[in-house]
Amino acid sequence: MVAGKNPAEAGVSGEVQQDRFVGGQDLTRWDTRPGRLLASVVKRISSLLGSHAALVLTLAVGAALAVTLASVFAQVYESVVEADGVAGLDHPVLDGAKTLRSPTLDLLVTAYTDVGGTIGMPVLALAVMVLLAWRRRSLTPVILMLVAGLGSLLMTIAGKELVGRTRPDLADAVPPYEYSASFPSGHSLNSVVIAGIVAYLIILRLKSARARALTAVAAAVFAATMGLSRVYLGHHWLTDVLGAWALGAAWLSLVITAHRLYLTTRVHPA
């Protein structure tokens, strides 16, 4: 046990006592009929398999839904791009971003965007995951962050394979160049999901409304600036980023719902 740490704040008891309420709202209370039905199903699964197994199964189903959502969204996105629509903003926004560039700013933004890349983001997520699991003496942060990251990766792969959109011309981009399909922006999607789930896990233990708001704002600013950095560097179109934000927010909502269901099985077993 961590020195000086209240035993009630760690382990299963800590998850029930510390994570259940956020600003007076009981996360194990379901006010809608579909919510109560879903909670009832998950509680029955929990009684057979255990709460953590039920959480994993719920997240697995959520991941399948997320990939399906990505596939449907990709088709809609492709139709929008072909018909112009919001994609009409892509070229003007990229042209505007190019006017802001300078050697120093290019270097700083490139370093920043590397944090959300295929090396930076996993390392950051792993460090936070280990820290949260150690402090809480619980596997729940590990499960949530691993599955959240996996779902984000699967949605990125599905979207790129289905749409196959070409990135902006290399002449309009800041090196080092990238050559994979453009939609969705993996940096943008991953930053929403990882920053969002980290913020959620931290907010669960914060008592101050101001601290919770600042944590949420910090996560939102990180995700927003990560996405915009991709447009600034000419590595993605604006609509690649907008689509990634939408997919990331949807998947994050599913992961948080799964955790609420997990808490429900702990507080109100079948």
Side-chain angles (χ1 to χ4, degrees):
M1 186 62 62
V2 180
K5 191 176 184 63
N6 186 339
E9 294 181 2
V12 173
S13 62
E15 290 180 332
V16 173
Q17 296 177 34
Q18 302 294 317
D19 295 350
R20 178 179 175 182
F21 295 97
V22 175
Q25 180 179 352
D26 187 352
L27 298 183
T28 69
R29 177 179 176 179
W30 301 86
D31 296 325
T32 64
R33 187 171 181 179
R36 290 192 293 270
L37 176 61
L38 183 59
S40 175
V41 172
V42 174
K43 283 193 286 186
R44 290 180 181 276
I45 296 173
S46 176
S47 67
L48 296 173
L49 304 178
S51 293
H52 272 122
L55 173 60
V56 172
L57 181 59
T58 304
L59 286 169
V61 173
L65 290 174
V67 173
T68 302
L69 172 66
S71 300
V72 173
F73 191 93
Q75 298 300 327
V76 174
Y77 171 88
E78 190 172 18
S79 298
V80 170
V81 170
E82 289 178 353
D84 205 12
V86 70
L89 295 173
D90 283 337
H91 287 282
V93 170
L94 177 58
D95 290 340
K98 288 163 60 178
T99 66
L100 302 175
R101 291 176 186 169
S102 69
T104 300
L105 188 56
D106 291 354
L107 185 63
L108 291 174
V109 175
T110 297
Y112 179 68
T113 198
D114 285 343
V115 174
T118 54
I119 296 178
M121 186 60 76
V123 170
L124 180 63
L126 179 63
V128 174
M129 179 183 72
V130 171
L131 177 62
L132 289 175
W134 175 68
R135 285 186 59 83
R136 295 175 180 225
R137 293 297 190 267
S138 168
L139 288 175
T140 302
V142 177
I143 294 172
L144 290 177
M145 292 192 67
L146 283 179
V147 178
L150 178 61
S152 178
L153 176 62
L154 291 176
M155 285 191 291
T156 300
I157 293 173
K160 288 182 182 295
E161 288 292 328
L162 285 168
V163 177
R165 191 185 190 191
T166 303
R167 291 177 185 261
D169 291 339
L170 295 184
D172 293 326
V174 175
Y177 303 119
E178 299 183 25
Y179 301 95
S180 62
S182 193
F183 176 86
S185 165
H187 285 67
S188 303
L189 206 164
N190 291 329
S191 63
V192 168
V193 173
I194 299 302
I197 197 63
V198 169
Y200 170 72
L201 289 169
I202 292 174
I203 285 170
L204 289 175
R205 298 296 174 98
L206 295 176
K207 305 302 181 184
S208 163
R210 182 172 182 270
R212 290 194 296 268
L214 288 174
T215 301
V217 169
V221 168
F222 175 77
T225 53
M226 185 60 66
L228 294 176
S229 73
R230 307 302 291 162
V231 179
Y232 170 87
L233 294 172
H235 294 171
H236 282 284
W237 302 106
L238 175 64
T239 47
D240 299 332
V241 172
L242 295 177
W245 283 341
L247 287 172
W251 174 227
L252 179 62
S253 298
L254 285 173
V255 174
I256 290 175
T257 299
H259 183 245
R260 287 188 60 193
L261 290 168
Y262 164 75
L263 291 174
T264 302
T265 65
R266 290 293 194 187
V267 177
H268 310 291

